[in-house]
Amino acid sequence: MSHNVKTLGVLGAGQMGGGIAQVAAMAGLSVKVFDSFPGSIERCKGVHAKSLGKLVEKGKISKDAADAAVGRIGFVDKLENLAGCDWVVEAVVEDVKVKKDLLGKLAAMYPDEGVVLATNTSSISITELATAAGKTAGRVVGMHFFNPVPLMQLVEVIPGLQTSAGVVERTMALATAMGKTPLRANDRAGFISNRVLMPMINEAFYAWMEGVAEPEAIDGIMKLGCNFPMGPLRLADFIGLDTCVHIMNVLAEGLNNDRYRACPLLKQLVIAGRLGDKSGRGVFEYPVK
Ligand code: CAA
């Protein structure tokens, strides 16, 4: 089945939205990115320039292809200016209310059911988010990309209870056209990726809290002994410690099981403002960019 997408709308110009926009443009799609947060559009352009520059430097794409990709991405700071897309992916903050509000607005802006409303949520129920589209809930689907989007191979595709079979097939086709490998998971909290990854990260914090080993050793053991590209604590910083806590909360509530409660030390670091790469310090320290 073909995905039938010419223009992709992306909600959110952050780490994930910006990455999704970049890979879509590299795959030849026209892209419109919406973000109303001051400064985010300029920051996103800078991230694109840096990432595409790296890919050119490494011979992964030509300079012409990189320039063409940049030329295919437009930015808007008002949602009503996101008209004319035939598929929209939302990649805004992991907050059910914010996501449902935007999906509801998109459903009203795009009465044509053929326009798929995809969500990049990493753990929130697709079935619940889909209710925001009312009668057209069948066109809402989970399309979960991984950070850094230009380098990570996977798109986790998650149908909600209402999602139509045709929309799932089109999502698989679009992810493939974007150079990714789509794999399907069902709609349970955390899907597969975060159901398996986050408890492991959480356990690394428990091991640190209990003094089983220092952070450098915990990460070194998992890198050298298990061939992880990053240790679990470094990866937690990369993802954002606040996001890790949030995902653990979603797992604990959604799967109804206290074994998914966030480690007290992880929560304490977040309270202290140590959020990881984005705040300059999490488990480890990072130079301010
Ligand atoms: N675009 C282009 N190039 C990039 C890039 C980007 N966005 N990000 C990094 N690179 C480049 C770096 O500049 C670097 O280039 P040089 O070799 O020329 O220096 C190269 O990629 C390798 O990077 P690093 O040297 O920094 O380190 P690395 O070899 O460890 O690779 C990595 C980086 C690909 C991120 C690797 O560490 C990795 O795969 N880590 C695990 C990432 C992961 O697990 N992501 C999933 C997070 S979970 C998630 O996203 C979903 C969720 O729901 C929470």
Side-chain angles (χ1 to χ4, degrees), residues 16 22 50-52 54-55 57-58 122 144-152 193-194 197-198 229-230 235 238-239 243 247:
M16 298 306 293
Q22 183 185 321
K50 196 171 162 203
S51 173
L52 288 164
K54 262 283 166 214
L55 297 173
E57 187 188 307
K58 297 203 156 167
S122 60
H144 183 204
F145 290 82
F146 291 78
N147 189 25
V149 183
L151 302 187
M152 301 301 281
S193 53
N194 278 317
L197 174 68
M198 269 312 149
M230 287 174 166
L235 183 55
F238 184 62
I239 292 169
T243 305
I247 294 173

Side-chain angles (χ1 to χ4, degrees), residues 262-274:
C263 170
L265 177 56
L266 169 59
K267 291 199 284 189
Q268 199 179 25
L269 292 172
V270 173
I271 291 166
R274 287 169 61 174

Side-chain angles (χ1 to χ4, degrees), residues 153-204:
Q153 196 55 49
L154 177 67
V155 174
E156 197 175 25
V157 175
I158 311 107
L161 221 48
Q162 312 93 322
T163 311
S164 77
V167 165
V168 177
E169 279 183 48
R170 287 179 66 199
T171 310
M172 304 292 273
L174 178 61
T176 306
M178 287 168 76
K180 303 296 179 196
T181 302
L183 290 172
R184 214 184 126 151
N186 289 328
D187 188 24
R188 286 282 178 275
F191 321 129
I192 288 298
S193 53
N194 278 317
R195 169 109 178 229
V196 176
L197 174 68
M198 269 312 149
M200 184 204 63
I201 287 178
N202 201 44
E203 201 57 36

Side-chain angles (χ1 to χ4, degrees), residues 11-13 33-41 76-79 92 102:
L11 257 59
V33 183
F34 158 73
D35 200 308
S36 60
F37 197 72
S40 57
I41 290 177
V76 297
D77 59 6
K78 288 194 178 57
L79 189 60
V92 300
L102 280 170

Side-chain angles (χ1 to χ4, degrees), residues 228-241:
F228 284 22
M230 287 174 166
L233 296 173
R234 172 71 195 94
L235 183 55
D237 279 352
F238 184 62
I239 292 169
L241 302 192

